[in-house]
Amino acid sequence: MPVATALTPAQDAQARQIGGNLRCPTCTGLPITESGDALSIQMRREVHDQVKASQSERDIYGLMVARYGSATLLKPPKQGLNLVVWATPLLALGAGAVHFWRTFRFQQTRREPGTATDPYLAQVRQETGSRKSGDS
């Protein structure tokens, strides 16, 4: 293995942070910083070299996506189809809350005070001539 030049502490932190956001292509859900796979080691070297060359995080992520595919990102960008995937649960929750509120409100306004909600009770009241509501 060739010996890589050392990074400054700030560059080392940046390389670890970027590596923590990249998925090992052969492991299940592990970032390359936690994987001992040969491909992860190669990817860590590439990240190290790119950080040493003062590449921006965006450029490094773009390079990794170009080489290994978009599945290599542990946190995909919230744009395009990914935005729909992120927004769908929030939209469903909001739609459910609106539906619940409208249903509850409609049932409250549908009942007028003093009217029977049970058709049998209404028939009994009509037959007995009782005008009071709530008496059994």
Side-chain angles (χ1 to χ4, degrees):
M1 275 194 251
V3 176
T5 57
L7 295 175
T8 65
Q11 288 175 326
D12 186 50
Q14 182 184 12
R16 274 189 269 118
Q17 188 266 332
I18 292 171
N21 290 328
L22 295 173
R23 181 188 324 264
C24 170
T26 57
C27 304
T28 307
L30 281 178
I32 63 171
T33 55
E34 296 177 15
S35 173
D37 186 64
L39 193 52
S40 292
I41 294 169
Q42 178 185 345
M43 290 173 72
R44 282 196 304 261
R45 278 193 205 122
E46 291 175 25
V47 169
H48 180 275
D49 293 342
Q50 294 298 315
V51 168
K52 185 70 175 174
S54 299
Q55 294 291 322
S56 70
E57 285 185 28
R58 186 177 187 157
D59 291 339
I60 296 170
Y61 289 134
L63 175 71
M64 292 298 166
V65 167
R67 287 187 183 168
Y68 302 103
S70 62
T72 200
L73 298 175
L74 280 173
K75 297 176 187 173
K78 295 175 183 93
Q79 62 186 15
L81 185 58
N82 288 336
L83 184 61
V84 173
V85 172
W86 280 94
T88 299
L90 297 175
L91 293 174
L93 184 63
V98 167
H99 176 71
F100 177 76
W101 178 74
R102 290 183 71 198
T103 301
F104 182 73
R105 184 173 171 228
F106 178 71
Q107 287 182 357
Q108 290 294 326
T109 59
R110 190 172 75 179
R111 295 183 196 156
E112 296 176 10
T115 61
T117 57
D118 184 9
Y120 179 73
L121 180 60
Q123 180 184 358
V124 169
R125 285 185 180 153
Q126 181 183 11
E127 289 175 1
T128 60
S130 173
R131 294 190 180 256
K132 286 184 170 181
S133 65
D135 288 332
S136 299

